[in-house]
Amino acid sequence: MPPVSVEQFVRAVDHTLLDPGAGERSVHALCDEASDRGFAAVCLLPWWVERARAALDDVAVCTVIGFPHGLETTRGKCEAARAAVALGADEIDVVMAWGALRDGDLEATRDDLIALVSAVHEEREQAMVKVIIEASQLNDNQIEVACGLVAESGAEFAKTSTGTAGGATVAVVELMRRVLPARVRIKASGGIRSAADAAAMLQAGAARLGTSSALAIVNELEANALAR
């Protein structure tokens, strides 16, 4: 497997902090690290969006909605997403109601996503939506169905996982890439802790990587480059 370069990694990574116990000092450190390294985005809980936006210029602010189960009401998710975008979020990672999908309630799952994507784009046309399908809780057929609903919703990304119920795998990313239209990109998230993990996910077809280990991976990549 060819190694990922530092430049490839930093352009792809969402530097992530979703620990509900993390405080303002940790959020400021996350933003400083992302700005210093030029990461694509920071991903944090909605409470911190406004402060992250104030701290960052050239790094996108991403937040999570319906996290981690996707079972808030559609109205509640839409209102939360609109509020986050109004406060400065550039990207919304929303959890699909995967339990409803697994139960066969595809129409409600689809309508929920379409409403959320529409709400985000109405608030700011350039804002992006990544739909978390929680692939570890679905079989391959259900993953294909979930990807079809993501594409139908108008979201820009399908995302593998919340990281709370199993992480990304190469096989899942490859499957998602096969069934998604080219315009829908993939974010792999959960369990990406090393340069090898990052390279495997990018090679499998991911365009973004969500990880709380971004700084450690950059340090590893830089050390590897010096050793070559």
Side-chain angles (χ1 to χ4, degrees):
M1 180 190 306
V4 61
S5 70
V6 174
E7 292 75 15
Q8 286 174 304
F9 178 74
V10 299
R11 288 197 302 267
V13 73
D14 289 4
H15 194 20
T16 302
L17 180 63
L18 296 175
D19 177 2
E24 190 163 3
R25 182 178 297 179
S26 296
V27 170
H28 280 305
L30 184 87
C31 292
D32 287 345
E33 291 159 2
S35 182
D36 180 58
R37 293 292 188 168
F39 292 150
V42 295
C43 183
L44 30 63
L45 294 165
W47 182 268
W48 301 111
V49 165
E50 190 170 17
R51 274 165 274 197
R53 179 72 286 150
L56 294 167
D57 293 321
D58 299 325
V59 176
V61 175
C62 173
T63 195
V64 290
I65 298 294
F67 189 84
H69 304 302
L71 294 176
E72 291 81 355
T73 64
T74 299
R75 179 177 178 179
K77 283 190 276 193
C78 289
E79 289 176 351
R82 283 184 182 275
V85 172
L87 289 171
D90 305 291
E91 303 177 2
I92 298 294
D93 285 16
V94 64
V95 185
M96 175 183 283
W98 55 266
L101 180 146
R102 200 166 64 177
D103 199 40
D105 197 352
L106 304 186
E107 184 176 359
T109 307
R110 180 197 63 215
D111 291 350
D112 181 65
L113 293 178
I114 290 172
L116 185 285
V117 173
S118 296
V120 169
H121 290 164
E122 286 168 8
E123 187 66 33
R124 192 194 312 157
E125 187 177 355
Q126 297 81 8
M128 294 197 304
V129 178
K130 309 188 199 89
V131 178
I132 305 169
I133 68 170
E134 203 67 292
S136 67
Q137 304 304 304
L138 307 176
N139 62 36
D140 284 358
N141 181 66
Q142 290 165 340
I143 290 171
E144 292 188 23
V145 171
C147 287
L149 297 183
V150 174
E152 193 174 348
S153 76
E156 287 78 14
F157 278 83
K159 178 178 171 181
T160 60
S161 330
T162 61
T164 65
T169 68
V170 167
V172 162
V173 173
E174 289 176 340
L175 171 59
M176 292 172 68
R177 188 64 279 161
R178 284 198 302 273
V179 300
L180 284 165
R183 67 166 185 82
V184 181
R185 290 171 283 174
I186 295 170
K187 177 177 173 180
S189 185
I192 301 171
R193 301 187 179 92
S194 69
D197 294 335
M201 295 302 166
L202 291 171
Q203 186 174 23
R208 283 283 190 94
L209 306 173
T211 178
S212 58
S213 301
L215 202 60
I217 293 172
V218 167
N219 291 337
E220 181 186 353
L221 289 169
E222 289 177 338
N224 291 345
L226 287 172
R228 284 198 291 271

